[in-house]
Amino acid sequence: MPTAVGRTCWVIAEGYIPGNSHGTEPQMTSHETACILNASPTDAHIRITLYFSDRDPVGPYRITVPALRTHHVRFNDLDDPAPVPRDTDYASIIDSDVPVVVQHTRLDSRQSELALLSTVAFPA
Amino acid sequence: MPTAVGRTCWVIAEGYIPGNSHGTEPQMTSHETACILNASPTDAHIRITLYFSDRDPVGPYRITVPALRTHHVRFNDLDDPAPVPRDTDYASIIDSDVPVVVQHTRLDSRQSELALLSTVAFPA
Amino acid sequence: MPTAVGRTCWVIAEGYIPGNSHGTEPQMTSHETACILNASPTDAHIRITLYFSDRDPVGPYRITVPALRTHHVRFNDLDDPAPVPRDTDYASIIDSDVPVVVQHTRLDSRQSELALLSTVAFPA
Amino acid sequence: MPTAVGRTCWVIAEGYIPGNSHGTEPQMTSHETACILNASPTDAHIRITLYFSDRDPVGPYRITVPALRTHHVRFNDLDDPAPVPRDTDYASIIDSDVPVVVQHTRLDSRQSELALLSTVAFPA
């Protein structure tokens, strides 16, 4: 089993939380997730910075992903220093003090049937 | 916070804007997007060149992404030097004078329920 | 024809098997797949380790992908040392003794119409 | 405009052409595509080799992508040396004599509403 895999800086250029949803909360709520894996033996201290089209960057949002754990961060739930606006284009940079791996996923339930997208983030 | 992340040349080999749509415009209009993040302290001057299966390349389309901003470029909206044809295979190369990150997304609403795809573009 | 392409360690940071499904089994059952290609002339001995948000890693799951073959591993079917829990966030690291290529796909049929996502895994 | 971008060997580990479809042919037929961009000033001679789970590799399929053109290859249409079986797991390696970029897309219309997936292929 590897002791630390990944990189310390990741970029998700596509960000957008649809403002409405169909179906049972919270599973079917339209949401965006940054899935972070910390396979190292050390806790990872993560800082997320959000970028917008028409205002200054917001952040850092601080999250700890314990050693040997994964954490699927819902952007919908971020609220310190500010909640993430809905129906708004954004992008994010995710920094970590130990190597991690980041994958980006969106569930869009604006219509009655859901749609999904996912991609590994860009390792900067 | 990093001062400049990414690359200066990106490729999206898959391009296709569906010619019809269901649902409320403009959110639910079938569209393709190049989500560009410029996390540098300098404005990014972007040039997009489109490639087709049966005609010469078209471009460059010129876009400025300000310092510390993201811009989600809808290919549907490009019109200088020419609009992007619908229901037509294309590909694109995106050049920048400062490092940026590019992610490609399509929303397809040809049927009553939308479908999504996304991938980080190829850093050339 | 190349004799061996890829890497020996891959990461899928996003993992989630939806707990319910619509449609004909097994094709339309909600599932996650790690598609592994072994284009080398030697059998690949694969070890998959699963990471969770609230418990220790589980594994290795052991799989052999023969020389010059692809194997689309359904996480739903893994059961030794333990089945993969449904409706639970996880991540996975996939190690091989010869270079392989790994792509991650999910089919989500919780609603009556399916949704798909896919991305090449992260080559660590 | 760059004169040649990309790589000469690409891998798509996930392959699967659904055996049935809903909707208007050929746009809504379930299909898999390798979108290839040749941004070089020289024609690209492409060889595609298919890998299966239970039989020897098949190929090469030969395709020419002209200089400064994109070609979206439908796996459904490949038939020399043999058609691609439906409802069957496969993988593919795409070789070129000049650098190209490859992106993989599937449209799945087995149910009445389509689903999409896409990812940049793995540059080997």
Side-chain angles (χ1 to χ4, degrees), chain B residues 61-120:
Chain B
Y61 298 84
R62 297 177 186 277
I63 291 162
T64 299
V65 181
L68 301 176
R69 294 291 184 273
T70 187
H71 185 48
H72 293 200
V73 180
R74 275 200 183 204
F75 286 93
N76 304 44
D77 297 339
L78 298 177
D79 61 3
D80 179 11
V84 183
R86 268 51 171 178
D87 288 329
T88 302
D89 293 337
Y90 68 97
S92 51
I93 294 185
I94 298 169
D95 293 295
S96 174
D97 57 354
V98 300
V100 296
V101 177
V102 178
Q103 187 169 340
H104 169 229
T105 301
R106 184 191 303 155
L107 184 151
D108 185 329
S109 63
R110 285 178 288 183
Q111 296 185 325
S112 59
E113 303 295 332
L114 65 85
L116 293 173
L117 63 78
S118 187
T119 184
V120 170

Side-chain angles (χ1 to χ4, degrees), chain A residues 18-23 25 28-31 109-111:
Chain A
N20 47 45
S21 302
H22 286 83
E25 294 188 357
M28 290 300 173
T29 304
S30 291
H31 64 271
S109 64
R110 285 178 288 183
Q111 297 185 323

